Each structure stands twice: as C-alpha cells, then as structure tokens.
Amino acid sequence: QSALTQPASVSGSPGQSITISCTGTSSDIGGNSYVSWYQQHPGKAPKLMIYDVGNRPSGVSNRFSGSKSGNTASLTISGLQAEDEADYYCSSYTSSTTLYVLFGGGTKLTVL
Amino acid sequence: QLQLQESGPGLVKPSETLSLTCTVSGGSISSSSFYWGWIRQPPGKGLEWIGTIHHSGSPYHNPSLKSRVTISVDTSKNQLSLKLRSVTAADMAVYYCAGHGELGELNHWGQGTLVTVSA
C-alpha cells in the first residue's frame, strides 16, 4: 500500500487559517478506517492532534479541526500562531479484516 | 501518566539484527485498552509504521518489512520489543514506540531512539 498524499509544504501568516489535505483511496481514507493527525516539531516525537477524523484529544487547542470527504481528509488550523510551525502527518488506521497503519508523507507548515 | 522509553544499541552493522526495547511505565502493557506499536522515521523523512501488537493477540506488520520483523510483548517486564533482521543503510532511522487505542490514535509516544547502520 502506498503512503497517503499530502502537500509538501503550506504557509500562512499569523491569525490566518490553513488547510492541509491528505488523499488516500477507498481502501484507506475513504473506507472503513480511522484518520488521525500528528504535529511534529524538530527533534521531537509526534503529538496527536486529531483522531477519528475530527476529534481533539484533551489539551489540544480548538483551533485545530479535522474533516473528511470521500478519499480525502483535511486538517484545518485557524488563528495561526508561531508555535504551529511544524511538520504535520495524517494517518489512516484500519482494523477490519487486518490491522494496518498508513502515514502521509508529511507537510511542513511555515508561519510567515 | 503513561510513559514509554525506547532503549537499545544506537549502532548496528549491516546484515545484523536491530534489537530495541520499549519500557512502559505509569500503566500496564497488559491493559485491554491499548495496542502497542513501532514507528520509524529516517533522517529528514516521514513516518513509517513498522507493526502493532496487542498483549492478547498476534502482531501485525507492515508488509514491506514483514519478513524481517518480530514484535513481541513481555508482560512480566511491561516491555515491548522489536527485532529487525538483515538491516541495511535504508533501516537507519529514529525508532519510536507508541501506544494507541482502538481508533488507532497514537496518543502515547516514546522520545525515539536513533539507530545508525554502519560497519
């Protein structure tokens, strides 16, 4: 199975909103799978930001939101802040007939 | 608060076996609520799922690595282990252990450990 497709980079100014897309297939994103999003700052472990498409773990800002349409999932960050600058990864978790995890290639977010 | 800590050699020779351990503290690896996985990240590149195991079931592996990977759980030591055989330079990466729930949400991560493959 191929990695999920994300744009290599996105950018925005403080206060603006940005959206990162994550495209898969009907076997993963568009199928019976769970989509999560992770934020990773340089030299750090990834941090869970969104799970099950649009749910936020406790402690994650409500500026982060997720959605899905067909084979594409999206992460939106509103009210951009300097500390949002990081790499973002989507993932698809399937556990029906077998268990499989796919990650996207990652998107570098630059806050201008 | 669940904490995970990877440990193992930081340098492995080509064709040898990479062996890592992940020690779980603040909770039980036997918890029915958690699955345990290994993820790696080559320098400057993205995340790659290696495999996942639940303490009561068989492990699942990335098909691209399946023939070389062994993932197991030692409930007596509250540890997760990874063995990757016949390593090459392509296996050089930061290796993370992580815990997730039934929705695949990887909400507990170790700090990661860099493994270099070199003679």
Side-chain angles (χ1 to χ4, degrees):
Chain A
Q1 298 197 18
S2 301
L4 306 173
T5 300
Q6 298 181 233
S9 63
V10 297
S11 62
S13 299
Q16 289 186 331
S17 294
I18 63 95
T19 296
I20 299 172
S21 62
C22 172
T23 302
T25 69
S26 58
S27 297
D28 38 70
I29 298 279
N32 188 21
S33 70
Y34 299 97
V35 178
S36 298
W37 289 90
Y38 301 89
Q39 176 192 66
Q40 186 180 35
H41 287 109
K44 301 293 187 181
K47 175 187 175 183
L48 177 69
M49 304 302 285
I50 295 287
Y51 68 96
D52 193 15
V53 178
N55 293 293
R56 280 186 308 276
S58 174
V60 172
S61 170
N62 59 9
R63 298 186 298 105
F64 291 82
S65 62
S67 62
K68 186 179 83 169
S69 177
N71 297 338
T72 298
S74 299
L75 172 71
T76 297
I77 308 173
S78 59
L80 271 179
Q81 299 180 1
E83 59 262 35
D84 299 332
E85 184 163 297
D87 293 325
Y88 290 85
Y89 294 90
C90 61
S91 81
S92 167
Y93 174 80
T94 303
S95 62
S96 50
T97 54
T98 185
L99 192 154
Y100 195 85
V101 180
L102 267 179
F103 285 102
T107 298
K108 169 66 178 177
L109 168 62
T110 300
V111 180
L112 302 171
Chain B
Q1 177 75 0
L2 203 60
Q3 292 188 320
L4 289 73
Q5 177 69 58
E6 304 90 349
S7 59
L11 179 64
V12 181
K13 291 182 169 59
S15 80
E16 294 191 344
T17 296
L18 178 161
S19 295
L20 296 175
T21 298
C22 173
T23 300
V24 178
S25 58
S28 173
I29 205 166
S30 300
S31 169
S32 60
S33 302
F34 286 104
Y35 292 74
W36 307 99
W38 288 97
I39 296 98
R40 69 181 183 178
Q41 185 172 34
K45 296 188 178 180
L47 302 169
E48 179 183 30
W49 175 69
I50 299 171
T52 293
I53 190 169
H54 189 267
H55 76 92
S56 64
S58 299
Y60 298 89
H61 307 102
N62 187 324
S64 69
L65 300 170
K66 185 175 181 179
S67 63
R68 298 195 291 133
V69 171
T70 300
I71 294 175
S72 60
V73 167
D74 186 334
T75 55
S76 67
K77 296 181 179 180
N78 228 31
Q79 290 179 335
L80 171 72
S81 70
L82 168 69
K83 293 187 186 301
L84 180 64
R85 295 174 289 279
S86 304
V87 299
T88 69
D91 295 311
M92 185 164 67
V94 174
Y95 285 75
Y96 295 100
C97 60
H100 68 81
E102 291 190 352
L103 304 183
E105 72 282 23
L106 292 153
N107 49 3
H108 300 283
W109 292 75
Q111 65 184 26
T113 186
L114 174 63
V115 177
T116 300
V117 178
S118 175

